[in-house]
Amino acid sequence: MSRPFSLGARASLAGYRLRGFDTVGSTNTEAMKAAQSGDGGPIWFAALQQTAGRGRRGRPWSSPHGNLAASLLIVPDADPNLIATLGFVAGVALNRALATVLPKGKFKTGLDGADGDEGGKRARIALKWPNDVLADGAKLSGILLEAQPLPDGRTAIVMGCGVNVVAAPEGTPYPATSLRDLGADVDAQAVFEALTQAWVDTYTLWNQGRGIAEVLRLWREFAAGIGAPVAVNRHGDIVRGIFETIDDAGRLVVRADDDTRITITAGDVHFGTTASAAP
């Protein structure tokens, strides 16, 4: 087993550990195995390639060699009702990480201050509810949160993320892109190290759920599609309207044509022109 990764300095000081792989079946699976064997974390599992990766609802997640697959095992001491909001912590941390490694002149990440774009030539990195990162509307990264009950009554959480660093999967239901496609000369290790640093900062802000309001505020700042047409597929039930916001529980709020507000806890989101074409 090779170890092509290293933690950021703040992550090491905060007591995080690491198992790095060149190729692995699934980093989430490795993290779940560790939880089941009694490891309480915090420990990262990172790989340059996954052969059996998965996304939401059991969908396969393709990860060619050179992309980043990373999973974090933690056991939060938090209200169980707030555990699901760790997905927003992961989204904010990943956006912050990308902001530190991507060329400032080519990308907008939400951390640039003014939103000016010099003629619209910079690709916008944005968060898609509930668990994706987009670059100009194409999927760049996905986040998967899984839970494992422990014998002592606590819950182990595995936060997995995959970043298309050198290649994007083909034949996906939505457009996908990679950092290389976008002209970014950065490797998986650089993205991973930045992610471990940003996670420490954002998880500290979350503060076992007590700081979720600030995390959600940041998430909204980085969000894609707020104020735009949206269609949400909830197991075949299509909700259409304007993506108004996410509420304080992290639910998507859609303003329908009759001005009623519909709150959504899960579903597949389509924006803009794809909203009108959503099945």
Side-chain angles (χ1 to χ4, degrees):
M1 180 180 67
S2 61
R3 298 184 180 275
F5 294 96
S6 58
L7 295 166
R10 290 198 302 281
S12 294
L13 287 172
Y16 286 75
R17 293 172 286 129
L18 168 65
R19 288 186 64 194
F21 304 85
D22 183 86
T23 301
V24 74
S26 162
T27 55
N28 262 37
T29 297
E30 293 296 320
M32 279 294 183
K33 288 178 181 177
Q36 291 162 3
S37 69
D39 193 324
I43 180 171
W44 283 97
F45 298 80
L48 292 171
Q49 183 178 28
Q50 287 191 132
T51 58
R54 61 187 181 274
R56 289 175 64 227
R57 301 180 184 176
R59 295 165 178 158
W61 176 263
S62 175
S63 180
H65 195 275
N67 283 354
L68 173 63
S71 300
L72 173 65
L73 167 63
I74 54 174
V75 182
D77 183 19
D79 183 332
N81 295 321
L82 294 174
I83 293 295
T85 64
L86 283 167
F88 296 99
V89 179
V92 171
L94 187 51
N95 188 282
R96 285 173 153 178
L98 291 170
T100 67
V101 298
L102 296 179
K104 297 297 186 291
K106 290 186 177 181
F107 299 90
K108 294 186 295 178
T109 62
L111 299 184
D112 300 329
D115 201 37
D117 192 13
E118 299 179 359
K121 296 179 180 178
R122 292 193 293 164
R124 183 179 183 229
I125 308 297
L127 299 173
K128 179 186 176 186
W129 187 91
N131 63 350
D132 289 340
V133 180
L134 307 180
D136 281 353
K139 184 169 179 174
L140 179 63
S141 175
I143 296 165
L144 176 66
L145 216 63
E146 295 186 300
Q148 174 71 45
L150 298 176
D152 63 5
R154 296 184 301 163
T155 301
I157 298 297
V158 173
M159 185 283 295
C161 67
V163 182
N164 298 331
V165 179
V166 300
E170 299 179 355
T172 56
Y174 311 102
T177 191
S178 70
L179 295 177
R180 178 173 290 178
D181 290 339
L182 296 166
D185 184 17
V186 62
D187 62 15
Q189 159 56 24
V191 177
F192 175 72
E193 183 173 336
L195 175 59
T196 66
Q197 302 272 72
W199 172 267
V200 170
D201 297 339
T202 313
Y203 187 62
T204 299
L205 181 65
W206 184 71
N207 190 20
Q208 304 300 338
R210 291 183 285 272
I212 184 56
E214 179 61 14
V215 171
L216 290 175
R217 184 191 69 78
L218 290 170
W219 196 98
R220 293 182 192 103
E221 285 188 4
F222 305 155
I226 289 183
V230 67
V232 185
N233 187 335
R234 301 187 296 184
H235 301 288
D237 174 29
I238 308 299
V239 175
R240 298 184 189 274
I242 300 298
F243 176 14
E244 190 161 272
T245 188
I246 58 168
D247 66 14
D248 291 343
R251 298 173 298 188
L252 184 91
V253 180
V254 176
R255 176 165 50 84
D257 291 341
D258 61 1
D259 269 348
T260 59
R261 269 67 176 176
I262 303 168
T263 57
I264 297 171
T265 57
D268 291 325
V269 173
H270 304 257
F271 290 131
T273 56
T274 61
S276 61

